[in-house]
Amino acid sequence: MSINTNPQVLPPPDPPGPIKWLKDNLFGNLFNSILTIFSLLIVYFLLGGVIEWFFNTADWRPVTKAPLLYVIGSYPREEMWRVGLSVTVVFFLLGISWGKWGGLLKSVSLALGGIFFVLAILPVKHVQLDVAMRTYLGITVFVMALGYILGRAEKLKPNLIYILWLISPIIIVVLFAGIENSEVLKQVATTSWGGLMVTFLLAIGGILISFPIGVALALGRRSTLPIVSASSTIFIETIRGVPLITILFMFSIILGLFLPADARLDRLLRALMAVTVFSSAYTAENIRGGLQSISKGQYEAAHALGMNNFQTMFFIVLPQAIKVVIPAIVGQFISLFKDTTLVVIVGINDLLGIGRSVINSESDFLQLQLEVYIFIALIYWVFSYFMSVASRRVEASLGVSN
Amino acid sequence: MTEAIIKCTDVHKWYGEFHALRGIDMDVMPGEVIVIFGPSGSGKSTFIRTINHLEEHQRGTIVVDGIELSHDVRNIEEIRKETGMVFQQFNLFPHLTVLQNVSLAPVWVKKKSKDEAEKISMDLLDQVGIPEQADKFPGQLSGGQQQRVAIARALAMEPKIMLFDEPTSALDPEMIKEVLDAMTELAKSGMTMIVVTHEMGFARAVANRMFFFDEGSIVESGSPDDIFKNPKEDRTKLFLSQILQH
C-alpha cells in the first residue's frame, strides 16, 4: 500500500519582477501615470538644485583649506604623530580581531582600511595630503593587514587580544596627553585637543566607563538591601530626569566651585565625567531590562548547583542579560556620539566646535557657514549610519531580533 | 540500621494564605528511590524544592545528610552541594556549551581544575549517552538530549542525592524513554533519588517507595506493589484510575 497519497503540488509562483511591480504600482492607470511623472519632475528639480549647489555653487574652502583641523583640532602639528600612532594601534588591533573572529570586525576593518587606502592614493594635490601623510596612511593599512595575518595564527589566544584591547585606551590616553618631564612624549594640554579626536574620545570613553557603572547601578536597583536599591534608583531617575546640558554645566562650572583651587580638574576630563554620569544612568536602565528577561529557572538552576549569588550573577545571569541588551547599548552609543556636540557650550572644541572656530577664523568664511555645517552633518551621518548598520549586523548574529 | 539521609519532620509551607504543605513527614534511606505523585497543585513540586531550599519551609525541620536546613546561608550552600536537581524545564544555561554547562559548577563551586572538571563532564556526558554533543549549545539539542545534559550537569557536582522535579513532563512522548533510561541507570548505580513524576512504568520498575500527595499532605505511601495492587485510600484509587486509564 502506498503511504504517499497526497498528490504532488507545485510551489506558488514567484513574486512578480520589478517591471511588473512598476507597471502595477506606478503606471496602473492614466491618473497614476500622470502622478508618477509629476512626482519624478518635482524630485528632479529639487534634487537637481541640491546637486548643482553641492558641486558648483558651494565653496568648500573652509573644509579643504585645513581638513586636519577637523580631525585633531589645534593639537601641535609636530606632535601629531602621536595621534597617528594611536590610530595605527587601533587599526592593528582591529586587524588582529578580524583575523581571529571575522564577521562584523571584517566589515569594520575593511571599511576603515579602505578609506585610508583610498586617501593614500587619492590623485589630488593638497598641502596636508603630502608624501609623509600618504606614507603614514599606507603604513597604517599595512599594519592592519599585518594584524590580520597575526590574528589568523591558531596559536594566538583570544585572551591576549582581549587584554590588548583593554590596555589600548590607556596607551592612547598616554600618547595623547604625554608624560610629565618627558622629552619624547611632551605634555599636550587638552585645550589644544579638538575635532573628531575629542568627539570619539568623549563618546567611546563615556560608553566604556559608563558600562561597568551602569551594570553596578542596575544590580543595585534590583538589590534587596533598601539603602542600595533606593540610592541606585534615586541616582538613575535624577540623571534621567535632567538634560545632558545641565549635567555638563554642573560638572564644568559648579564642580569647580566646590573643589579647592589647586585641585582643578581638567576641563575635558570634567566633560567626560558628565557624559559618563549621563550615560551610566541609561546603561543601567538598559541592563536592568536585560536582567528582567532572564527567567527564574536560570537562577534556580545555578543555585541548585551550589553557586552563590555572586557566581550566579557573574557566570549565568549577567552574560545573558548583556547579550540581550547589546543592540540597545549600541543605539545608546550612537545617540551619545551625537549628543557630545553639546560640549561646545562648555568651551570644548569637538567636531562642531572646530566648525564654528573655522567659520570665525576668516572673514571670507562667515558666509560659508552652510558649507561647514553640511560637511559636519555629513560626517556625523556617515558615522551614525555606519554604526547602525553594524548594530543591525550584531543583532542578527546574536539572534536577538527574532 | 543506617541513618536516614533525608529527614523531614512536620514540614509546612504557606504561599500567603494558601497552605501548600501541611505537615510532611518523610525519611529517605541512602540508596532509596522515592517516587512522589499526585494531582497538580498537591504540593509535590513545592516539597521537593524545599529540600534544597529553592522554596523556604516555614515550620518543621529538614535535615539532609546531617545538615539542618535553616536560614544560615552556609548550611543552604552545603546542602545544595550534596543535592543535584533536575527541572521540568531543563533550565540549561543557553549561553554556554553543553560541556561548559556541565563543568562550570565543579570548577567554581568545587574548585576543581578545568581539565579535571572537563574530564568528569565528558565521562558523565558519555554516561547519559550524548558525548558527541559536548560542543553544541543547548538550543541546538532536542528536549530529551537537553534533559540528559541537565542530569549530567547535576551529577558533575558528585551529589549524594538527586532530586527530579517532573523531569519528563515537558518532553515530547518519543523522548521520554531516553530520559527515563538515564534515570534508571542512575538508580541502579545506588544513587538516592526523589522523583516527582507521573511515569508509573518507571515507578513500578525502579521505585522503592511511593508517596501519593494531595492538597499538601501525604495521603498514602508504600511500595509500588502496595500502591498499584491494593491502594487503601479512595483518593489514591481515583487518581491512579485516572492516570492509568489509557
mmCIF file of all heavy atoms in Angstrom, chain A residues 24-38:
data_model
loop_
_atom_site.group_PDB
_atom_site.id
_atom_site.type_symbol
_atom_site.label_atom_id
_atom_site.label_comp_id
_atom_site.label_asym_id
_atom_site.label_seq_id
_atom_site.Cartn_x
_atom_site.Cartn_y
_atom_site.Cartn_z
ATOM 1 N N ASP A 24 2.318 47.728 -12.202
ATOM 2 C CA ASP A 24 1.161 47.601 -11.310
ATOM 3 C C ASP A 24 0.990 48.825 -10.419
ATOM 4 O O ASP A 24 -0.121 49.294 -10.211
ATOM 5 C CB ASP A 24 1.312 46.362 -10.414
ATOM 6 C CG ASP A 24 1.028 45.098 -11.184
ATOM 7 O OD1 ASP A 24 0.624 45.232 -12.356
ATOM 8 O OD2 ASP A 24 1.227 43.997 -10.624
ATOM 9 N N ASN A 25 2.112 49.303 -9.858
ATOM 10 C CA ASN A 25 2.002 50.283 -8.795
ATOM 11 C C ASN A 25 2.135 51.725 -9.259
ATOM 12 O O ASN A 25 1.574 52.618 -8.658
ATOM 13 C CB ASN A 25 3.052 50.013 -7.706
ATOM 14 C CG ASN A 25 2.757 48.737 -6.973
ATOM 15 O OD1 ASN A 25 1.831 48.667 -6.180
ATOM 16 N ND2 ASN A 25 3.516 47.700 -7.274
ATOM 17 N N LEU A 26 2.949 51.970 -10.294
ATOM 18 C CA LEU A 26 3.212 53.353 -10.687
ATOM 19 C C LEU A 26 2.478 53.752 -11.951
ATOM 20 O O LEU A 26 2.174 54.909 -12.174
ATOM 21 C CB LEU A 26 4.723 53.570 -10.869
ATOM 22 C CG LEU A 26 5.558 53.336 -9.613
ATOM 23 C CD1 LEU A 26 7.026 53.572 -9.893
ATOM 24 C CD2 LEU A 26 5.091 54.226 -8.471
ATOM 25 N N PHE A 27 2.244 52.788 -12.840
ATOM 26 C CA PHE A 27 1.596 53.130 -14.105
ATOM 27 C C PHE A 27 0.354 52.273 -14.327
ATOM 28 O O PHE A 27 0.044 51.870 -15.436
ATOM 29 C CB PHE A 27 2.591 52.939 -15.267
ATOM 30 C CG PHE A 27 3.806 53.821 -15.144
ATOM 31 C CD1 PHE A 27 4.992 53.326 -14.617
ATOM 32 C CD2 PHE A 27 3.759 55.144 -15.534
ATOM 33 C CE1 PHE A 27 6.098 54.136 -14.485
ATOM 34 C CE2 PHE A 27 4.874 55.960 -15.403
ATOM 35 C CZ PHE A 27 6.051 55.460 -14.882
ATOM 36 N N GLY A 28 -0.344 52.011 -13.232
ATOM 37 C CA GLY A 28 -1.516 51.136 -13.294
ATOM 38 C C GLY A 28 -2.619 51.702 -14.190
ATOM 39 O O GLY A 28 -3.217 50.995 -14.984
ATOM 40 N N ASN A 29 -2.889 53.021 -14.072
ATOM 41 C CA ASN A 29 -3.874 53.647 -14.962
ATOM 42 C C ASN A 29 -3.371 55.036 -15.342
ATOM 43 O O ASN A 29 -2.285 55.461 -14.915
ATOM 44 C CB ASN A 29 -5.245 53.696 -14.275
ATOM 45 C CG ASN A 29 -5.160 54.379 -12.910
ATOM 46 O OD1 ASN A 29 -4.458 55.384 -12.775
ATOM 47 N ND2 ASN A 29 -5.850 53.836 -11.917
ATOM 48 N N LEU A 30 -4.156 55.765 -16.090
ATOM 49 C CA LEU A 30 -3.701 57.059 -16.605
ATOM 50 C C LEU A 30 -3.376 58.022 -15.469
ATOM 51 O O LEU A 30 -2.314 58.655 -15.452
ATOM 52 C CB LEU A 30 -4.803 57.648 -17.503
ATOM 53 C CG LEU A 30 -4.390 58.958 -18.184
ATOM 54 C CD1 LEU A 30 -3.291 58.704 -19.212
ATOM 55 C CD2 LEU A 30 -5.602 59.617 -18.837
ATOM 56 N N PHE A 31 -4.285 58.086 -14.482
ATOM 57 C CA PHE A 31 -4.092 59.018 -13.379
ATOM 58 C C PHE A 31 -2.791 58.716 -12.625
ATOM 59 O O PHE A 31 -2.001 59.609 -12.318
ATOM 60 C CB PHE A 31 -5.292 58.935 -12.426
ATOM 61 C CG PHE A 31 -5.200 59.867 -11.260
ATOM 62 C CD1 PHE A 31 -5.211 61.253 -11.473
ATOM 63 C CD2 PHE A 31 -5.068 59.394 -9.966
ATOM 64 C CE1 PHE A 31 -5.115 62.127 -10.407
ATOM 65 C CE2 PHE A 31 -4.966 60.265 -8.898
ATOM 66 C CZ PHE A 31 -4.994 61.640 -9.123
ATOM 67 N N ASN A 32 -2.578 57.418 -12.348
ATOM 68 C CA ASN A 32 -1.347 57.006 -11.663
ATOM 69 C C ASN A 32 -0.124 57.406 -12.458
ATOM 70 O O ASN A 32 0.869 57.876 -11.909
ATOM 71 C CB ASN A 32 -1.345 55.488 -11.465
ATOM 72 C CG ASN A 32 -1.888 55.115 -10.104
ATOM 73 O OD1 ASN A 32 -2.256 55.993 -9.334
ATOM 74 N ND2 ASN A 32 -1.935 53.828 -9.819
ATOM 75 N N SER A 33 -0.181 57.212 -13.775
ATOM 76 C CA SER A 33 0.977 57.531 -14.617
ATOM 77 C C SER A 33 1.283 59.014 -14.551
ATOM 78 O O SER A 33 2.441 59.421 -14.397
ATOM 79 C CB SER A 33 0.712 57.133 -16.061
ATOM 80 O OG SER A 33 0.287 55.794 -16.113
ATOM 81 N N ILE A 34 0.232 59.849 -14.619
ATOM 82 C CA ILE A 34 0.444 61.303 -14.558
ATOM 83 C C ILE A 34 1.066 61.667 -13.214
ATOM 84 O O ILE A 34 2.059 62.400 -13.152
ATOM 85 C CB ILE A 34 -0.898 62.054 -14.751
ATOM 86 C CG1 ILE A 34 -1.376 61.862 -16.182
ATOM 87 C CG2 ILE A 34 -0.730 63.540 -14.441
ATOM 88 C CD1 ILE A 34 -2.802 62.318 -16.414
ATOM 89 N N LEU A 35 0.530 61.094 -12.126
ATOM 90 C CA LEU A 35 1.071 61.378 -10.792
ATOM 91 C C LEU A 35 2.542 60.998 -10.716
ATOM 92 O O LEU A 35 3.369 61.736 -10.174
ATOM 93 C CB LEU A 35 0.304 60.570 -9.731
ATOM 94 C CG LEU A 35 -0.830 61.286 -9.013
ATOM 95 C CD1 LEU A 35 -1.379 60.380 -7.917
ATOM 96 C CD2 LEU A 35 -0.329 62.591 -8.403
ATOM 97 N N THR A 36 2.865 59.829 -11.249
ATOM 98 C CA THR A 36 4.239 59.341 -11.188
ATOM 99 C C THR A 36 5.184 60.304 -11.905
ATOM 100 O O THR A 36 6.215 60.713 -11.356
ATOM 101 C CB THR A 36 4.327 57.953 -11.827
ATOM 102 O OG1 THR A 36 3.419 57.095 -11.173
ATOM 103 C CG2 THR A 36 5.731 57.403 -11.739
ATOM 104 N N ILE A 37 4.793 60.698 -13.128
ATOM 105 C CA ILE A 37 5.673 61.581 -13.913
ATOM 106 C C ILE A 37 5.813 62.930 -13.220
ATOM 107 O O ILE A 37 6.906 63.473 -13.079
ATOM 108 C CB ILE A 37 5.113 61.737 -15.341
ATOM 109 C CG1 ILE A 37 5.292 60.411 -16.078
ATOM 110 C CG2 ILE A 37 5.834 62.852 -16.088
ATOM 111 C CD1 ILE A 37 4.497 60.307 -17.349
ATOM 112 N N PHE A 38 4.704 63.428 -12.684
ATOM 113 C CA PHE A 38 4.713 64.701 -11.980
ATOM 114 C C PHE A 38 5.662 64.648 -10.781
ATOM 115 O O PHE A 38 6.497 65.540 -10.581
ATOM 116 C CB PHE A 38 3.275 65.003 -11.519
ATOM 117 C CG PHE A 38 3.116 66.366 -10.937
ATOM 118 C CD1 PHE A 38 3.301 67.500 -11.747
ATOM 119 C CD2 PHE A 38 2.784 66.540 -9.599
ATOM 120 C CE1 PHE A 38 3.155 68.765 -11.205
ATOM 121 C CE2 PHE A 38 2.646 67.805 -9.062
ATOM 122 C CZ PHE A 38 2.829 68.925 -9.874
#
